[in-house]
Amino acid sequence: MNLRNFSFILCVVTPSAMAQLTDKEGISGEIALTTGFTSSKSNFNTKGDATITSVDQKGSSDINFMTFPLGSIAYTFSQELNQQVYAGTTRQDIATGTVVLEVGYKYQFDSRMVIDASILPTIMSSKTWEDPYLVGSDRVETNASGNAFRFKVSNIAGSNFTVDSAYATKNIKNDDVQHNELKRDADTIYLKAQYRLPLSRTSFVLPSVIYQSSSADGKANSYDQYGAELSLFKLMQRHQLVLTAGYKQQNFGADNPIYGKTRKDDKLSLFAAYEYTKFMDWQDWSFISFAGYNSTDSNITFYDESKYIVTVGLNYKF
């Protein structure tokens, strides 16, 4: 799963709210096994129809049932328990709607400020079409790959402010689109600023503002994106709930040569995630569930997309 896909919550308490990176030295982590289904409607989904009859048609629908593991493992060291190496999916990302595999290092200062540097080895990996716009013949799959690097500073100077940044490259193995303006190899910069606002002892909100800029080989695929998210975290004894809503607007850099106009997308995302701790009175086990919805409403029908997901599962913390 990449940054545009769905995710779930493992714990309502984010790392930025903790006095230490963890409460013990050595190895810690958690793993979750989930099952559910996804529904996707997109002209770029390689699980959908390989053949299209028009570049003006809406995408085909595809439903998949799945079972998959997620989790993380970390090694915490130093006398102050303020240094950590880790691999997996981080709790705060999962809670607010992002699943990305990371390998990284954290250092926490006396002020509670945490610097976090990581690489994301799989975020740019996916399948796509060599020529998504090919009409009347079967489109051929190809691989998308790349590298991504992330740098995050939480609790800046002891405050509740966090700034998250990333740089990523994307390469399409066989990019066979017929117009140079639509070439898809790209470099992308991502910035996100957020503030943790407590509402009570058992709840807080996390508003965020987002900026993303992608410079592609084709100017019609280059864009600037502006957005905002709001997450509500609520703890009710054994019950933990997170609700997240987001809106983003993408403005592209040049006229699309197929459609004769510049593309503009409006993106909406909604997530509801739930966790029941000490499931069946097992101290380290919890029941987890989430539902999500993503949509893209473009001024060019071909780029309209929608995605749904519903899952249930069990999480074990060690």
Side-chain angles (χ1 to χ4, degrees), residues 91-127:
R91 291 184 175 187
Q92 184 169 338
D93 285 342
I94 290 170
T96 55
T98 304
V99 168
V100 288
L101 174 63
E102 289 187 83
V103 179
Y105 167 79
K106 293 180 181 180
Y107 182 90
Q108 186 177 50
F109 296 89
D110 292 340
S111 65
R112 292 191 311 121
M113 185 171 77
V114 178
I115 58 172
D116 183 352
S118 62
I119 59 173
L120 295 77
T122 64
I123 189 172
M124 304 306 292
S125 300
S126 63
K127 297 285 188 180

Side-chain angles (χ1 to χ4, degrees), residues 62-96:
D62 174 66
I63 297 177
N64 286 300
F65 292 88
M66 58 185 181
T67 299
F68 59 94
L70 285 172
S72 63
I73 186 169
Y75 179 77
T76 307
F77 57 99
S78 81
Q79 185 175 358
E80 295 81 11
L81 299 179
N82 66 340
Q83 297 188 68
Q84 186 181 86
V85 291
Y86 65 90
T89 51
T90 67
R91 291 184 175 187
Q92 184 169 338
D93 285 342
I94 290 170
T96 55

Side-chain angles (χ1 to χ4, degrees), residues 47-272:
K47 300 297 183 182
D49 293 341
T51 303
I52 59 174
T53 59
S54 169
V55 291
D56 296 312
Q57 72 180 51
K58 289 183 176 291
S60 59
S61 296
D62 174 66
I63 297 177
N64 286 300
F65 292 88
M66 58 185 181
T67 299
F68 59 94
L70 285 172
S72 63
I73 186 169
Y75 179 77
T76 307
F77 57 99
S78 81
Q79 185 175 358
E80 295 81 11
L81 299 179
N82 66 340
Q83 297 188 68
Q84 186 181 86
V85 291
Y86 65 90
T89 51
T90 67
R91 291 184 175 187
Q92 184 169 338
D93 285 342
I94 290 170
T96 55
T98 304
V99 168
V100 288
L101 174 63
E102 289 187 83
V103 179
Y105 167 79
K106 293 180 181 180
Y107 182 90
Q108 186 177 50
F109 296 89
D110 292 340
S111 65
R112 292 191 311 121
M113 185 171 77
V114 178
I115 58 172
D116 183 352
S118 62
I119 59 173
L120 295 77
T122 64
I123 189 172
M124 304 306 292
S125 300
S126 63
K127 297 285 188 180
T128 188
W129 300 116
E130 289 185 358
D131 182 2
Y133 311 99
L134 180 65
V135 174
S137 301
D138 283 354
R139 296 177 292 178
V140 178
E141 282 188 13
T142 189
N143 294 319
S145 61
N147 298 298
F149 307 92
R150 186 179 189 182
F151 184 73
K152 183 177 181 179
V153 184
S154 305
N155 301 329
I156 296 173
S159 71
N160 289 338
F161 281 102
T162 293
V163 173
D164 194 359
S165 63
Y167 169 77
T169 62
K170 181 175 72 174
N171 175 262
I172 308 299
K173 184 176 181 181
N174 296 311
D175 194 359
D176 200 28
V177 293
Q178 300 304 303
H179 300 275
N180 288 333
E181 296 92 335
L182 293 175
K183 293 296 184 181
R184 291 167 285 174
D185 288 0
D187 295 332
T188 300
I189 295 173
Y190 174 86
L191 295 171
K192 182 176 183 178
Q194 58 189 26
Y195 181 78
R196 186 176 183 273
L197 179 63
L199 300 178
S200 68
R201 291 177 59 87
T202 60
S203 63
F204 65 90
V205 293
L206 194 68
S208 306
V209 292
I210 299 166
Y211 171 72
Q212 185 170 321
S213 178
S214 182
S215 177
D217 286 354
K219 290 185 178 181
N221 266 331
S222 299
Y223 64 83
D224 288 311
Q225 175 177 276
Y226 302 89
E229 288 180 352
L230 182 65
S231 297
L232 170 66
F233 293 72
K234 180 66 177 178
L235 175 65
M236 300 166 286
Q237 296 180 342
R238 292 188 181 185
H239 306 276
Q240 300 173 3
L241 178 68
V242 178
L243 303 174
T244 298
Y247 170 79
K248 300 170 186 175
Q249 186 178 91
Q250 285 183 338
N251 298 304
F252 288 77
D255 280 355
N256 188 305
I258 295 176
Y259 301 98
K261 58 182 176 181
T262 302
R263 179 180 166 190
K264 180 180 177 181
D265 292 353
D266 294 305
K267 295 177 174 289
L268 175 68
S269 60
L270 300 170
F271 297 92

